[in-house]
Amino acid sequence: MAVTPMMVQVGRRESFNAAHRLHDPGLSEDENRRLFGKCVNLHGHNYLLEVTVVGGIDPTSGYVVDLKRLSDIMCRCIIQDVDHRNLNTDVPWLGGVIPTAENLALIFWDRLLAELPAGQLRTVRVWETDKNWAEVGDQA
Ligand code: NI
């Protein structure tokens, strides 16, 4: 069967539980409370991390990528460092970052980009709650 050179997106979802507070150490407690409301208090989320990659289908395997391999990279580069941690204090590579979903998505993107073949990473989406998410993507 001839395989068309179509690009196909595939993805993987992993989950982690972590605590955080939204707090800028450069601001007063009053200013932080005005900016972040009750999110200034330490609390936890059941996060989902969704990653999509894009490529042509390998005619030998029928895969774009082996999603087990993508899962392994997500776990090694991100999940194992953040699961059951305080994101404000426990993760060296999040040091100095206000751990919003937006900032997490951006930093997770950089960590995954360094591990994947060029051009493969398409989107990194962080679900903080079942209603709120942030996504970083390569629109190219
Ligand atoms: Ni929160």
Side-chain angles (χ1 to χ4, degrees), residues 20-22 39 41 43-45 47 99 128-129:
H20 78 166
R21 64 186 296 226
L22 301 185
C39 294
N41 301 318
H43 61 280
H45 292 288
Y47 289 92
E128 190 175 71
T129 70

